[in-house]
Amino acid sequence: FSSDVESTIAAVRALSATTVSTGQADLTNLFRLAAHEAKKSRAQNRILRVILIYCRSSIRPHHQWPVNQKLFTLDVMYLHDKPGPDNCPQAVYDALVDALEHVSEYEGYIHESGHGLPRTLFRFMSMLLSHPQQRCPQDDCDIPKPLMKKSAESANGEDNNVHVSTSR
């Protein structure tokens, strides 16, 4: 747990994928550690935010955590494979949403991607930069806004309706 940018960059770069699977995804120890750090943060008049990057498409996470103990904000980035015989990304996503709602003190966001595009990951991570106490509910969040070229007509305030001709 650090606010030092360089140590964070080094930690992220040190992450690597393994082919060994433990078979379970118990988030209880993560939540326990985060709660401990959150108590120390509160003593310093700070809040703690945990960003979980979850990459298992076939293993639903679980946890044993009290409902009334919300000491930190949890954000989730879920990167998954396409649905298949061994993959159930929707069930995993639903379990992650349940965990987020169960433990997050302030508005936690969850983002998912099955494309593996770095651009998507960077966009989602930039959306997590907002302070948890100033966030709107994720369902009300319509970012990023679509980038559309405005036609010369719309710039002049003229009619934006699209007229479709059905004549042959």
mmCIF file of all heavy atoms in Angstrom, residues 100-118:
data_model
loop_
_atom_site.group_PDB
_atom_site.id
_atom_site.type_symbol
_atom_site.label_atom_id
_atom_site.label_comp_id
_atom_site.label_asym_id
_atom_site.label_seq_id
_atom_site.Cartn_x
_atom_site.Cartn_y
_atom_site.Cartn_z
ATOM 1 N N LEU A 100 -18.306 -6.189 -4.623
ATOM 2 C CA LEU A 100 -18.119 -4.739 -4.607
ATOM 3 C C LEU A 100 -19.200 -4.072 -3.766
ATOM 4 O O LEU A 100 -18.911 -3.243 -2.904
ATOM 5 C CB LEU A 100 -18.149 -4.213 -6.046
ATOM 6 C CG LEU A 100 -17.881 -2.733 -6.245
ATOM 7 C CD1 LEU A 100 -17.079 -2.529 -7.516
ATOM 8 C CD2 LEU A 100 -19.171 -1.973 -6.325
ATOM 9 N N GLU A 101 -20.452 -4.439 -3.985
ATOM 10 C CA GLU A 101 -21.556 -3.847 -3.240
ATOM 11 C C GLU A 101 -21.503 -4.234 -1.768
ATOM 12 O O GLU A 101 -21.945 -3.474 -0.909
ATOM 13 C CB GLU A 101 -22.885 -4.252 -3.864
ATOM 14 C CG GLU A 101 -23.099 -3.639 -5.234
ATOM 15 C CD GLU A 101 -24.342 -4.149 -5.944
ATOM 16 O OE1 GLU A 101 -24.948 -5.142 -5.473
ATOM 17 O OE2 GLU A 101 -24.702 -3.552 -6.968
ATOM 18 N N HIS A 102 -20.964 -5.375 -1.469
ATOM 19 C CA HIS A 102 -20.914 -5.889 -0.105
ATOM 20 C C HIS A 102 -19.861 -5.182 0.749
ATOM 21 O O HIS A 102 -20.065 -4.990 1.949
ATOM 22 C CB HIS A 102 -20.621 -7.396 -0.154
ATOM 23 C CG HIS A 102 -20.770 -8.095 1.142
ATOM 24 N ND1 HIS A 102 -21.961 -8.609 1.573
ATOM 25 C CD2 HIS A 102 -19.874 -8.367 2.122
ATOM 26 C CE1 HIS A 102 -21.804 -9.177 2.757
ATOM 27 N NE2 HIS A 102 -20.533 -9.040 3.103
ATOM 28 N N VAL A 103 -18.726 -4.789 0.156
ATOM 29 C CA VAL A 103 -17.616 -4.265 0.956
ATOM 30 C C VAL A 103 -17.309 -2.788 0.740
ATOM 31 O O VAL A 103 -16.629 -2.176 1.560
ATOM 32 C CB VAL A 103 -16.311 -5.061 0.718
ATOM 33 C CG1 VAL A 103 -16.504 -6.526 1.031
ATOM 34 C CG2 VAL A 103 -15.773 -4.864 -0.673
ATOM 35 N N SER A 104 -17.784 -2.195 -0.339
ATOM 36 C CA SER A 104 -17.355 -0.843 -0.695
ATOM 37 C C SER A 104 -18.060 0.225 0.144
ATOM 38 O O SER A 104 -19.279 0.277 0.213
ATOM 39 C CB SER A 104 -17.605 -0.594 -2.181
ATOM 40 O OG SER A 104 -16.893 0.531 -2.609
ATOM 41 N N GLU A 105 -17.243 1.089 0.752
ATOM 42 C CA GLU A 105 -17.775 2.166 1.587
ATOM 43 C C GLU A 105 -18.413 3.260 0.728
ATOM 44 O O GLU A 105 -19.504 3.726 1.015
ATOM 45 C CB GLU A 105 -16.641 2.763 2.420
ATOM 46 C CG GLU A 105 -17.062 3.916 3.290
ATOM 47 C CD GLU A 105 -15.906 4.492 4.091
ATOM 48 O OE1 GLU A 105 -14.735 4.267 3.738
ATOM 49 O OE2 GLU A 105 -16.198 5.184 5.080
ATOM 50 N N TYR A 106 -17.715 3.692 -0.310
ATOM 51 C CA TYR A 106 -18.228 4.709 -1.221
ATOM 52 C C TYR A 106 -18.514 4.052 -2.565
ATOM 53 O O TYR A 106 -18.348 2.852 -2.723
ATOM 54 C CB TYR A 106 -17.221 5.863 -1.373
ATOM 55 C CG TYR A 106 -16.975 6.585 -0.074
ATOM 56 C CD1 TYR A 106 -15.776 6.429 0.602
ATOM 57 C CD2 TYR A 106 -17.951 7.395 0.497
ATOM 58 C CE1 TYR A 106 -15.548 7.081 1.807
ATOM 59 C CE2 TYR A 106 -17.742 8.043 1.703
ATOM 60 C CZ TYR A 106 -16.535 7.880 2.351
ATOM 61 O OH TYR A 106 -16.312 8.520 3.538
ATOM 62 N N GLU A 107 -18.911 4.837 -3.527
ATOM 63 C CA GLU A 107 -19.266 4.312 -4.850
ATOM 64 C C GLU A 107 -18.067 3.634 -5.500
ATOM 65 O O GLU A 107 -17.102 4.291 -5.873
ATOM 66 C CB GLU A 107 -19.778 5.445 -5.741
ATOM 67 C CG GLU A 107 -20.253 5.009 -7.095
ATOM 68 C CD GLU A 107 -21.540 4.200 -7.059
ATOM 69 O OE1 GLU A 107 -22.343 4.370 -6.134
ATOM 70 O OE2 GLU A 107 -21.724 3.370 -7.973
ATOM 71 N N GLY A 108 -18.136 2.323 -5.609
ATOM 72 C CA GLY A 108 -17.096 1.561 -6.284
ATOM 73 C C GLY A 108 -17.514 1.292 -7.715
ATOM 74 O O GLY A 108 -18.702 1.092 -7.998
ATOM 75 N N TYR A 109 -16.571 1.300 -8.626
ATOM 76 C CA TYR A 109 -16.853 1.047 -10.032
ATOM 77 C C TYR A 109 -16.326 -0.328 -10.422
ATOM 78 O O TYR A 109 -15.313 -0.792 -9.908
ATOM 79 C CB TYR A 109 -16.185 2.093 -10.931
ATOM 80 C CG TYR A 109 -16.853 3.451 -10.950
ATOM 81 C CD1 TYR A 109 -16.294 4.481 -11.674
ATOM 82 C CD2 TYR A 109 -18.034 3.711 -10.261
ATOM 83 C CE1 TYR A 109 -16.884 5.737 -11.718
ATOM 84 C CE2 TYR A 109 -18.632 4.960 -10.306
ATOM 85 C CZ TYR A 109 -18.050 5.974 -11.032
ATOM 86 O OH TYR A 109 -18.633 7.207 -11.080
ATOM 87 N N ILE A 110 -17.018 -0.947 -11.375
ATOM 88 C CA ILE A 110 -16.546 -2.196 -11.955
ATOM 89 C C ILE A 110 -16.546 -2.024 -13.469
ATOM 90 O O ILE A 110 -17.517 -1.529 -14.044
ATOM 91 C CB ILE A 110 -17.391 -3.417 -11.525
ATOM 92 C CG1 ILE A 110 -16.811 -4.706 -12.123
ATOM 93 C CG2 ILE A 110 -18.854 -3.243 -11.852
ATOM 94 C CD1 ILE A 110 -17.373 -5.979 -11.521
ATOM 95 N N HIS A 111 -15.446 -2.380 -14.079
ATOM 96 C CA HIS A 111 -15.315 -2.335 -15.538
ATOM 97 C C HIS A 111 -14.891 -3.713 -16.012
ATOM 98 O O HIS A 111 -14.121 -4.395 -15.353
ATOM 99 C CB HIS A 111 -14.259 -1.312 -15.966
ATOM 100 C CG HIS A 111 -14.587 0.088 -15.568
ATOM 101 N ND1 HIS A 111 -15.635 0.797 -16.104
ATOM 102 C CD2 HIS A 111 -14.007 0.914 -14.663
ATOM 103 C CE1 HIS A 111 -15.691 1.997 -15.564
ATOM 104 N NE2 HIS A 111 -14.707 2.091 -14.684
ATOM 105 N N GLU A 112 -15.400 -4.109 -17.156
ATOM 106 C CA GLU A 112 -15.033 -5.412 -17.703
ATOM 107 C C GLU A 112 -14.690 -5.280 -19.164
ATOM 108 O O GLU A 112 -15.185 -4.399 -19.855
ATOM 109 C CB GLU A 112 -16.159 -6.431 -17.498
ATOM 110 C CG GLU A 112 -17.476 -6.104 -18.209
ATOM 111 C CD GLU A 112 -17.515 -6.568 -19.653
ATOM 112 O OE1 GLU A 112 -16.837 -7.553 -19.982
ATOM 113 O OE2 GLU A 112 -18.225 -5.936 -20.458
ATOM 114 N N SER A 113 -13.814 -6.183 -19.602
ATOM 115 C CA SER A 113 -13.434 -6.208 -21.003
ATOM 116 C C SER A 113 -13.021 -7.621 -21.393
ATOM 117 O O SER A 113 -12.272 -8.267 -20.671
ATOM 118 C CB SER A 113 -12.281 -5.240 -21.270
ATOM 119 O OG SER A 113 -11.863 -5.347 -22.621
ATOM 120 N N GLY A 114 -13.520 -8.053 -22.527
ATOM 121 C CA GLY A 114 -13.129 -9.346 -23.069
ATOM 122 C C GLY A 114 -12.327 -9.196 -24.339
ATOM 123 O O GLY A 114 -12.110 -10.160 -25.064
ATOM 124 N N HIS A 115 -11.891 -7.965 -24.618
ATOM 125 C CA HIS A 115 -11.182 -7.695 -25.865
ATOM 126 C C HIS A 115 -9.668 -7.757 -25.728
ATOM 127 O O HIS A 115 -8.980 -8.002 -26.697
ATOM 128 C CB HIS A 115 -11.571 -6.319 -26.416
ATOM 129 C CG HIS A 115 -13.033 -6.181 -26.662
ATOM 130 N ND1 HIS A 115 -13.705 -6.903 -27.602
ATOM 131 C CD2 HIS A 115 -13.963 -5.406 -26.058
ATOM 132 C CE1 HIS A 115 -14.987 -6.582 -27.588
ATOM 133 N NE2 HIS A 115 -15.170 -5.682 -26.658
ATOM 134 N N GLY A 116 -9.143 -7.457 -24.557
ATOM 135 C CA GLY A 116 -7.696 -7.471 -24.361
ATOM 136 C C GLY A 116 -6.978 -6.300 -25.002
ATOM 137 O O GLY A 116 -5.784 -6.364 -25.241
ATOM 138 N N LEU A 117 -7.691 -5.225 -25.278
ATOM 139 C CA LEU A 117 -7.074 -4.061 -25.906
ATOM 140 C C LEU A 117 -6.493 -3.129 -24.847
ATOM 141 O O LEU A 117 -7.184 -2.762 -23.894
ATOM 142 C CB LEU A 117 -8.112 -3.281 -26.721
ATOM 143 C CG LEU A 117 -8.756 -4.016 -27.891
ATOM 144 C CD1 LEU A 117 -9.862 -3.170 -28.500
ATOM 145 C CD2 LEU A 117 -7.707 -4.338 -28.936
ATOM 146 N N PRO A 118 -5.238 -2.755 -24.974
ATOM 147 C CA PRO A 118 -4.650 -1.823 -23.999
ATOM 148 C C PRO A 118 -5.428 -0.516 -23.915
ATOM 149 O O PRO A 118 -5.571 0.052 -22.843
ATOM 150 C CB PRO A 118 -3.236 -1.584 -24.534
ATOM 151 C CG PRO A 118 -2.934 -2.783 -25.369
ATOM 152 C CD PRO A 118 -4.261 -3.211 -25.947
#
